[in-house]
Amino acid sequence: MAPAQVRLVTLFTINVTQLPVMRLRPLLLILLAVCASSGLSAAPLKIAYSDWPGYTVLEVAKQKGWFKDAGLDIELAWFDYLPSIDAYTAGKVDAVCIVGTDALVTGATGGKSKLITLLDYSDGSDMIVGKPGINSIKDLKGQKIGIEVTLVEHLLLLEALKRNGLTQADVTLVNTATNETPQTLGSGQVAAVGAWYPISGQALKQVPGAKKLFTSADAKGLIYDVLAVNPTSLAAHHDEWAKFVQIYHKCVDYVLDPKTRDDAAKIMAAKVGANPAEYASNLPGTHFLTLAEAKAAMKKGPGLDSIYGSLTLGNQFNLDNKVYAESQNPDSYVAPGIVNSLKP
């Protein structure tokens, strides 16, 4: 509380004790209004995040005190991925770190959002991993695949099948929670699984002879991660969100700088309980987007180098798999104003 605000509250305290009861209520209402306008009752901005490297990088800002230095009151709320989306949809947080295609799903079902920056695109960390003896995507014909249906690995699988002359009808999908895919692959019940890092790394490590069959490096831009913000929160706290976006990309710069990369990996690995050296070796599987790259990818375009083109593909995937019935328009989600206003 600023000194002037302390004096104001003290003044009211002294005066109201000397006034008739009938006059207390108006003065208390004035006091509450003053407190609200001065930020005394303001709640922190709450952001849900999970174990994907492009989200966990926020731990750098948290540990370094960058939010506080910028005058921001930020609460980072840690979840598994799907519960983070549920928390956002339920209005328990102001924003969520989420795959762009999944942001369309929340929007179609009531959790509208504005995508105010792009965090990264997957560049190898999302994988289709085959059990021993399965050496290619073509080997999956007629086989069972453990995957979390309608999430990003499902989208990745369809791209892999298409590029190898197969369709979803050529395989049997076994709906499997992503964090359970390593055990499922090890059980021998399926020929392959789909997972993102660090879980994809666990599958490769826990199942001797398992191998990568197809990764997001083979389809750059298919899987963008974004910061999805509640439109009401964005309107009420535009300047704070602009500062948050600037700090996010400061975290990216910290990860990409060879001088600080190891420190960033150590901070991020600690959050997910991973070995720092191993974590650092897997960071290239996530293409962290600098502010300049986010600006470029938020320009309209039909291909995967644009979030608009990527969301258009994701929207069709959601429609084809009956995730929602009404087509979603990327233009109503993407909000490049903050990114375009910031300087690298």
Side-chain angles (χ1 to χ4, degrees), residues 257-276:
D257 188 337
K259 296 178 182 178
T260 52
R261 185 180 183 87
D262 288 345
D263 185 49
K266 182 179 178 181
I267 292 171
M268 296 162 69
K271 184 63 179 178
V272 299
N275 176 276

Side-chain angles (χ1 to χ4, degrees), residues 6 9 19 33 40 66 104 130 165 169 172 174 199 205 253 271 283 300 308 317 334 340:
V6 173
V9 173
L19 290 172
L40 296 180
W66 291 345
L104 299 180
T172 299
V174 179
I199 300 167
K205 190 174 183 179
D253 293 339
K271 184 63 179 178
L283 282 178
K300 286 188 178 182
Y308 291 90
F317 164 79
V334 183
N340 289 338

Side-chain angles (χ1 to χ4, degrees), residues 189-343:
Q189 298 174 27
V190 298
V193 295
W196 54 75
Y197 186 80
I199 300 167
S200 55
Q202 294 168 12
L204 289 167
K205 190 174 183 179
Q206 292 177 20
V207 184
K211 59 174 59 68
K212 304 175 189 178
L213 304 178
F214 191 87
T215 80
S216 49
D218 301 310
K220 299 178 190 291
L222 180 69
I223 304 172
Y224 278 101
D225 290 286
V226 303
L227 180 66
V229 179
N230 179 286
T232 301
S233 180
L234 178 60
H237 304 283
H238 183 275
D239 292 347
E240 291 98 319
W241 285 116
K243 289 180 181 179
F244 183 88
V245 169
Q246 189 89 62
I247 291 171
Y248 177 84
H249 292 289
K250 181 179 179 180
C251 292
V252 168
D253 293 339
Y254 197 81
V255 170
L256 298 180
D257 188 337
K259 296 178 182 178
T260 52
R261 185 180 183 87
D262 288 345
D263 185 49
K266 182 179 178 181
I267 292 171
M268 296 162 69
K271 184 63 179 178
V272 299
N275 176 276
E278 182 180 338
Y279 197 91
S281 70
N282 282 280
L283 282 178
T286 302
H287 186 99
F288 297 88
L289 291 167
T290 65
L291 181 58
E293 289 175 322
K295 285 186 180 185
M298 292 183 87
K299 292 179 180 178
K300 286 188 178 182
L304 294 181
D305 57 346
S306 166
I307 184 62
Y308 291 90
S310 184
L311 288 178
T312 298
L313 183 62
N315 176 58
Q316 192 59 53
F317 164 79
N318 289 331
L319 290 170
D320 290 345
N321 287 278
K322 297 180 173 55
V323 179
Y324 50 69
E326 184 177 346
S327 182
Q328 301 297 295
N329 181 3
D331 287 9
S332 67
Y333 287 83
V334 183
I338 285 178
V339 162
N340 289 338
S341 72
L342 299 177
K343 295 181 179 180

